[in-house]
Amino acid sequence: MSSPDVLKNVKSFMSILQVVGLVVFFLVLSGVFLISCERQIIFHPVKYPEGYWDPASRSIPVEDVYFTTGDGVRLHGWYVPSSGGAATMLWFHGNAGNLTHRLDNIEMLRSLHINLFIFDYRGYGKSEGEPNEAGIYLDSQAAYDWLVNIKKILPQKIVLFGRSLGGICAVEIAAKNPAAGVILESVFPSARRMAQKIFPFLPLGWAIKSRLDAIAQVPGLKLPKLFLHGTQDEVVPYKLGRELFAAAVEPKAFYDIEGAGHNDTYLVGGPAYFDALDRFIQNAISDGSRKNS
């Protein structure tokens, strides 16, 4: 090989090394950025007084509830009773806003004649502290404990409902506590799978510290499970909801919310959506009562 050819090959090799070096540098830089901003990417709390803090304007009877987590954080929630309600829904909301941003949804759920307890994770609404993965699990357990120990609701009368990030909390509680059933709406399998969705061309799974790993726990959940997902979900792709469902064991069911995105499921779903919730809740409560009779 002549000297010019050798020189040409060396230059080509050096160019390739430069490109590889730039790619590695960009991946490392992206990973550092992801790690430094991870909490801000996952959690989007809105603190009091922002929100819609007047449920009475919707004729919704609300009991303001304050309770304390295992690590001493004071949380706030709303308990919404229903006359003659046989079931109680423990609601784990998503990663943005606060409980007041679910007021219109709460109003619609009252047609099911169930008691409802929704609370804010640490750092949201009137709850103290700052959110993190370990913290929201402690918050969720404290909310469950309040229902069982303070409100004296029997576990077989409690249906866990988690939407989006809240579904991760619902799975966590279902894995450690008895309940009649669990409803998972617009829920993703894990933080790593979501990272792959957000950064499809960057292998940044190694940079994610948060696990939010529902798919590791759903195979162990023996209680009845209802999965719902908007077919046009722009935040958590429909196929990720199906992936989580596939990992679950029976009894389970999947409900497609045709045409719904991530935040309009109960609006687009309409009466059929609420009928699906009602059927599942009533069946789960009936099954739980038979098993404990």
Side-chain angles (χ1 to χ4, degrees):
M1 184 179 293
S2 64
S3 296
D5 289 336
V6 172
L7 184 60
K8 182 179 179 180
N9 288 340
V10 170
K11 288 182 178 180
S12 297
F13 181 69
M14 293 302 294
S15 296
I16 293 172
L17 285 181
Q18 288 177 337
V19 171
V20 171
L22 284 172
V23 171
V24 172
F25 174 76
F26 180 69
L27 286 175
V28 172
L29 188 64
S30 299
V32 170
F33 171 78
L34 187 58
I35 291 171
S36 63
C37 299
E38 185 174 324
R39 194 173 75 174
Q40 290 77 11
I41 292 172
I42 295 174
F43 302 105
H44 300 276
V46 171
K47 294 286 290 182
Y48 176 82
E50 289 188 57
Y52 310 98
W53 296 93
D54 186 19
S57 66
R58 304 279 191 95
S59 300
I60 300 175
V62 164
E63 177 186 339
D64 269 306
V65 174
Y66 289 91
F67 56 103
T68 304
T69 66
D71 61 342
V73 178
R74 190 169 185 254
L75 304 180
H76 171 256
W78 279 349
Y79 181 76
V80 185
S82 177
S83 178
T88 298
M89 176 183 285
L90 174 53
W91 187 344
F92 307 89
H93 68 65
N95 73 329
N98 57 48
L99 56 77
T100 72
H101 294 100
R102 282 79 188 174
L103 196 56
D104 57 341
N105 197 172
I106 292 172
E107 185 176 23
M108 293 180 181
L109 279 168
R110 284 177 54 74
S111 66
L112 303 188
H113 303 293
I114 58 174
N115 306 313
L116 190 150
F117 182 39
I118 183 172
F119 69 99
D120 272 326
Y121 312 114
R122 59 189 66 200
Y124 288 73
K126 294 182 179 180
S127 294
E128 298 175 347
E130 295 295 331
N132 57 69
E133 182 177 7
I136 64 172
Y137 295 156
L138 289 171
D139 302 343
S140 301
Q141 185 62 55
Y144 176 91
D145 291 342
W146 182 85
L147 271 183
V148 173
N149 298 327
I150 304 301
K151 209 63 178 176
K152 304 302 181 182
I153 306 294
L154 296 174
Q156 61 265 31
K157 300 294 186 181
I158 296 174
V159 174
L160 310 172
F161 174 82
R163 178 175 286 149
S164 193
L165 176 70
I168 308 297
C169 296
V171 167
E172 180 76 12
I173 296 306
K176 297 179 179 178
N177 303 272
V182 59
I183 301 171
L184 302 175
E185 181 176 298
S186 309
V187 182
F188 52 91
S190 67
R192 288 194 174 188
R193 292 293 286 123
M194 278 302 292
Q196 292 169 0
K197 181 263 178 184
I198 297 170
F199 307 101
F201 304 109
L202 300 175
L204 292 177
W206 60 271
I208 299 291
K209 291 190 294 183
S210 300
R211 292 180 57 81
L212 302 173
D213 201 355
I215 200 166
Q217 299 210 72
V218 292
L221 300 184
K222 307 302 183 185
L223 77 175
K225 297 165 288 295
L226 174 63
F227 296 75
L228 306 96
H229 216 106
T231 58
Q232 302 301 316
D233 194 323
E234 73 286 2
V235 177
V236 179
Y238 174 81
K239 67 177 183 179
L240 290 188
R242 277 288 183 180
E243 182 179 316
L244 185 61
F245 172 74
V249 297
E250 297 289 348
K252 63 178 181 177
F254 196 99
Y255 183 82
D256 292 332
I257 311 172
E258 291 292 342
H262 191 69
N263 295 310
D264 60 359
T265 50
Y266 61 98
L267 297 172
V268 175
Y273 165 87
F274 289 100
D275 286 346
L277 293 182
D278 189 39
R279 285 194 303 273
F280 176 80
I281 292 169
Q282 297 308 319
N283 289 337
I285 295 299
S286 296
D287 289 347
S289 297
R290 283 197 297 271
K291 290 176 181 177
N292 287 275
S293 60

